[in-house]
Amino acid sequence: MAQIPCTELATSRRDLAGPALRTFFRIAELWSLSVEERMILLGVQARSTFFKWKKGHVSTLPKDTLERISYILGIYKALQILLPDTEAADQWIRYPNMAPVFNGQSALERMLSGQVSDLFVVRQYLDSQRGGWA
């Protein structure tokens, strides 16, 4: 299997930064996330960095942030498929959930632990509900 040179990967991350952040901020609006919730989901600690990103001032994003956005996009997409009522789909993340992976918490509470693995768990749960493999 051919390896991709590091410079091509960096270019790809640079090319993805703007569209990824625009998509994230649109989903965050639909989910009515606070600034603090958005920062946690993106894995960014500095408010100055967050607001630069929000204004579109970004050249590249850390791999961790792109991974987080990828999971959030997958969660959003899965919810739109599972719950065709867009308002219900957008509100689902806030409802308490008795599924074992949530233990009575909402999906948002699970995602706000700050760990990428929790975003993965929510995405995996929704994919399994769609009939994919968990």
Side-chain angles (χ1 to χ4, degrees):
M1 184 169 177
Q3 294 219 343
I4 299 172
C6 290
T7 55
E8 287 183 36
L9 288 175
T11 302
S12 296
R13 284 193 8 239
R14 193 172 317 127
D15 293 343
L16 291 172
L21 284 173
R22 285 191 298 275
T23 302
F24 170 81
F25 286 119
R26 180 67 183 126
I27 292 169
E29 285 294 319
L30 294 170
W31 287 353
S32 301
L33 298 176
S34 70
V35 168
E36 291 75 20
E37 291 169 333
R38 294 172 193 211
M39 289 177 65
I40 292 168
L41 291 177
L42 287 172
V44 64
Q45 295 178 359
R47 289 179 74 83
S48 59
T49 300
F50 172 80
F51 285 107
K52 283 180 188 175
W53 288 359
K54 193 167 192 308
K55 289 180 181 178
H57 301 298
V58 61
S59 59
T60 190
L61 290 172
K63 288 184 225 179
D64 174 77
T65 303
L66 283 172
E67 183 179 3
R68 289 167 177 274
I69 293 172
S70 174
Y71 285 132
I72 290 164
L73 182 61
I75 291 165
Y76 176 81
K77 179 183 173 187
L79 287 170
Q80 297 301 311
I81 292 167
L82 289 166
L83 302 168
D85 175 350
T86 55
E87 190 174 317
D90 292 337
Q91 293 175 357
W92 179 88
I93 63 164
R94 295 191 180 275
Y95 296 136
N97 194 315
M98 295 313 295
V101 298
F102 299 111
N103 197 28
Q105 292 184 314
S106 69
L108 182 58
E109 287 174 295
R110 177 80 194 244
M111 293 188 294
L112 289 175
S113 74
Q115 303 300 315
V116 174
S117 60
D118 289 305
L119 296 171
F120 169 77
V121 167
V122 174
R123 167 85 188 267
Q124 186 179 43
Y125 170 79
L126 290 169
D127 286 348
S128 72
Q129 297 303 301
R130 285 184 30 220
W133 25 303

PDB file of all heavy atoms in Angstrom, residues 24-37:
ATOM      1  N   PHE A  24     -19.275  22.290  11.729  1.00  0.00           N
ATOM      2  CA  PHE A  24     -19.419  22.146  13.179  1.00  0.00           C
ATOM      3  C   PHE A  24     -20.256  23.282  13.754  1.00  0.00           C
ATOM      4  O   PHE A  24     -21.184  23.050  14.534  1.00  0.00           O
ATOM      5  CB  PHE A  24     -18.051  22.105  13.879  1.00  0.00           C
ATOM      6  CG  PHE A  24     -18.195  22.195  15.369  1.00  0.00           C
ATOM      7  CD1 PHE A  24     -18.512  21.076  16.117  1.00  0.00           C
ATOM      8  CD2 PHE A  24     -18.063  23.416  16.025  1.00  0.00           C
ATOM      9  CE1 PHE A  24     -18.684  21.160  17.490  1.00  0.00           C
ATOM     10  CE2 PHE A  24     -18.233  23.514  17.400  1.00  0.00           C
ATOM     11  CZ  PHE A  24     -18.550  22.382  18.139  1.00  0.00           C
ATOM     12  N   PHE A  25     -19.948  24.520  13.398  1.00  0.00           N
ATOM     13  CA  PHE A  25     -20.669  25.668  13.966  1.00  0.00           C
ATOM     14  C   PHE A  25     -22.139  25.676  13.541  1.00  0.00           C
ATOM     15  O   PHE A  25     -23.002  26.106  14.301  1.00  0.00           O
ATOM     16  CB  PHE A  25     -19.968  26.981  13.644  1.00  0.00           C
ATOM     17  CG  PHE A  25     -18.724  27.181  14.465  1.00  0.00           C
ATOM     18  CD1 PHE A  25     -17.482  27.304  13.871  1.00  0.00           C
ATOM     19  CD2 PHE A  25     -18.796  27.231  15.856  1.00  0.00           C
ATOM     20  CE1 PHE A  25     -16.335  27.486  14.639  1.00  0.00           C
ATOM     21  CE2 PHE A  25     -17.653  27.409  16.630  1.00  0.00           C
ATOM     22  CZ  PHE A  25     -16.422  27.534  16.021  1.00  0.00           C
ATOM     23  N   ARG A  26     -22.435  25.179  12.359  1.00  0.00           N
ATOM     24  CA  ARG A  26     -23.848  25.080  11.924  1.00  0.00           C
ATOM     25  C   ARG A  26     -24.583  24.050  12.776  1.00  0.00           C
ATOM     26  O   ARG A  26     -25.695  24.300  13.238  1.00  0.00           O
ATOM     27  CB  ARG A  26     -23.914  24.729  10.430  1.00  0.00           C
ATOM     28  CG  ARG A  26     -25.309  24.616   9.906  1.00  0.00           C
ATOM     29  CD  ARG A  26     -26.033  25.966   9.905  1.00  0.00           C
ATOM     30  NE  ARG A  26     -27.396  25.759   9.449  1.00  0.00           N
ATOM     31  CZ  ARG A  26     -28.466  26.141  10.126  1.00  0.00           C
ATOM     32  NH1 ARG A  26     -28.345  26.780  11.264  1.00  0.00           N
ATOM     33  NH2 ARG A  26     -29.675  25.918   9.653  1.00  0.00           N
ATOM     34  N   ILE A  27     -23.966  22.899  12.994  1.00  0.00           N
ATOM     35  CA  ILE A  27     -24.579  21.867  13.841  1.00  0.00           C
ATOM     36  C   ILE A  27     -24.732  22.392  15.269  1.00  0.00           C
ATOM     37  O   ILE A  27     -25.768  22.192  15.907  1.00  0.00           O
ATOM     38  CB  ILE A  27     -23.758  20.563  13.801  1.00  0.00           C
ATOM     39  CG1 ILE A  27     -23.856  19.924  12.412  1.00  0.00           C
ATOM     40  CG2 ILE A  27     -24.225  19.584  14.884  1.00  0.00           C
ATOM     41  CD1 ILE A  27     -22.885  18.774  12.179  1.00  0.00           C
ATOM     42  N   ALA A  28     -23.719  23.074  15.765  1.00  0.00           N
ATOM     43  CA  ALA A  28     -23.767  23.635  17.125  1.00  0.00           C
ATOM     44  C   ALA A  28     -24.934  24.601  17.277  1.00  0.00           C
ATOM     45  O   ALA A  28     -25.577  24.641  18.339  1.00  0.00           O
ATOM     46  CB  ALA A  28     -22.441  24.312  17.463  1.00  0.00           C
ATOM     47  N   GLU A  29     -25.217  25.369  16.239  1.00  0.00           N
ATOM     48  CA  GLU A  29     -26.381  26.271  16.270  1.00  0.00           C
ATOM     49  C   GLU A  29     -27.671  25.468  16.330  1.00  0.00           C
ATOM     50  O   GLU A  29     -28.566  25.776  17.122  1.00  0.00           O
ATOM     51  CB  GLU A  29     -26.390  27.179  15.031  1.00  0.00           C
ATOM     52  CG  GLU A  29     -25.381  28.288  15.069  1.00  0.00           C
ATOM     53  CD  GLU A  29     -25.663  29.309  16.151  1.00  0.00           C
ATOM     54  OE1 GLU A  29     -26.840  29.681  16.353  1.00  0.00           O
ATOM     55  OE2 GLU A  29     -24.698  29.726  16.810  1.00  0.00           O
ATOM     56  N   LEU A  30     -27.777  24.459  15.496  1.00  0.00           N
ATOM     57  CA  LEU A  30     -28.989  23.634  15.468  1.00  0.00           C
ATOM     58  C   LEU A  30     -29.211  22.927  16.801  1.00  0.00           C
ATOM     59  O   LEU A  30     -30.356  22.729  17.213  1.00  0.00           O
ATOM     60  CB  LEU A  30     -28.910  22.608  14.332  1.00  0.00           C
ATOM     61  CG  LEU A  30     -28.915  23.193  12.920  1.00  0.00           C
ATOM     62  CD1 LEU A  30     -28.581  22.124  11.895  1.00  0.00           C
ATOM     63  CD2 LEU A  30     -30.260  23.853  12.613  1.00  0.00           C
ATOM     64  N   TRP A  31     -28.125  22.545  17.457  1.00  0.00           N
ATOM     65  CA  TRP A  31     -28.217  21.863  18.754  1.00  0.00           C
ATOM     66  C   TRP A  31     -28.287  22.851  19.918  1.00  0.00           C
ATOM     67  O   TRP A  31     -28.358  22.441  21.071  1.00  0.00           O
ATOM     68  CB  TRP A  31     -27.032  20.928  18.942  1.00  0.00           C
ATOM     69  CG  TRP A  31     -27.073  19.690  18.100  1.00  0.00           C
ATOM     70  CD1 TRP A  31     -28.088  19.240  17.296  1.00  0.00           C
ATOM     71  CD2 TRP A  31     -26.034  18.714  17.993  1.00  0.00           C
ATOM     72  NE1 TRP A  31     -27.739  18.062  16.698  1.00  0.00           N
ATOM     73  CE2 TRP A  31     -26.484  17.712  17.108  1.00  0.00           C
ATOM     74  CE3 TRP A  31     -24.766  18.590  18.551  1.00  0.00           C
ATOM     75  CZ2 TRP A  31     -25.717  16.597  16.786  1.00  0.00           C
ATOM     76  CZ3 TRP A  31     -23.994  17.487  18.220  1.00  0.00           C
ATOM     77  CH2 TRP A  31     -24.472  16.494  17.353  1.00  0.00           C
ATOM     78  N   SER A  32     -28.240  24.135  19.640  1.00  0.00           N
ATOM     79  CA  SER A  32     -28.283  25.191  20.668  1.00  0.00           C
ATOM     80  C   SER A  32     -27.191  25.013  21.726  1.00  0.00           C
ATOM     81  O   SER A  32     -27.437  25.128  22.930  1.00  0.00           O
ATOM     82  CB  SER A  32     -29.658  25.233  21.342  1.00  0.00           C
ATOM     83  OG  SER A  32     -30.667  25.465  20.398  1.00  0.00           O
ATOM     84  N   LEU A  33     -25.978  24.737  21.273  1.00  0.00           N
ATOM     85  CA  LEU A  33     -24.862  24.544  22.195  1.00  0.00           C
ATOM     86  C   LEU A  33     -24.313  25.881  22.680  1.00  0.00           C
ATOM     87  O   LEU A  33     -24.209  26.832  21.903  1.00  0.00           O
ATOM     88  CB  LEU A  33     -23.738  23.765  21.513  1.00  0.00           C
ATOM     89  CG  LEU A  33     -24.070  22.354  21.035  1.00  0.00           C
ATOM     90  CD1 LEU A  33     -22.881  21.762  20.289  1.00  0.00           C
ATOM     91  CD2 LEU A  33     -24.489  21.460  22.189  1.00  0.00           C
ATOM     92  N   SER A  34     -23.931  25.926  23.940  1.00  0.00           N
ATOM     93  CA  SER A  34     -23.292  27.119  24.491  1.00  0.00           C
ATOM     94  C   SER A  34     -21.847  27.189  23.994  1.00  0.00           C
ATOM     95  O   SER A  34     -21.313  26.218  23.452  1.00  0.00           O
ATOM     96  CB  SER A  34     -23.304  27.055  26.020  1.00  0.00           C
ATOM     97  OG  SER A  34     -22.420  26.034  26.467  1.00  0.00           O
ATOM     98  N   VAL A  35     -21.226  28.331  24.213  1.00  0.00           N
ATOM     99  CA  VAL A  35     -19.813  28.495  23.844  1.00  0.00           C
ATOM    100  C   VAL A  35     -18.970  27.442  24.564  1.00  0.00           C
ATOM    101  O   VAL A  35     -18.107  26.800  23.960  1.00  0.00           O
ATOM    102  CB  VAL A  35     -19.312  29.923  24.163  1.00  0.00           C
ATOM    103  CG1 VAL A  35     -17.792  30.013  24.057  1.00  0.00           C
ATOM    104  CG2 VAL A  35     -19.977  30.932  23.253  1.00  0.00           C
ATOM    105  N   GLU A  36     -19.225  27.248  25.857  1.00  0.00           N
ATOM    106  CA  GLU A  36     -18.447  26.280  26.636  1.00  0.00           C
ATOM    107  C   GLU A  36     -18.626  24.863  26.091  1.00  0.00           C
ATOM    108  O   GLU A  36     -17.657  24.108  25.986  1.00  0.00           O
ATOM    109  CB  GLU A  36     -18.842  26.338  28.115  1.00  0.00           C
ATOM    110  CG  GLU A  36     -18.419  27.611  28.815  1.00  0.00           C
ATOM    111  CD  GLU A  36     -19.263  28.847  28.463  1.00  0.00           C
ATOM    112  OE1 GLU A  36     -20.418  28.700  27.962  1.00  0.00           O
ATOM    113  OE2 GLU A  36     -18.765  29.964  28.678  1.00  0.00           O
ATOM    114  N   GLU A  37     -19.858  24.498  25.740  1.00  0.00           N
ATOM    115  CA  GLU A  37     -20.111  23.163  25.175  1.00  0.00           C
ATOM    116  C   GLU A  37     -19.390  23.003  23.844  1.00  0.00           C
ATOM    117  O   GLU A  37     -18.802  21.952  23.571  1.00  0.00           O
ATOM    118  CB  GLU A  37     -21.612  22.937  25.014  1.00  0.00           C
ATOM    119  CG  GLU A  37     -22.341  22.799  26.333  1.00  0.00           C
ATOM    120  CD  GLU A  37     -23.851  22.834  26.207  1.00  0.00           C
ATOM    121  OE1 GLU A  37     -24.385  23.440  25.243  1.00  0.00           O
ATOM    122  OE2 GLU A  37     -24.525  22.263  27.090  1.00  0.00           O
TER     123      GLU A  37
END
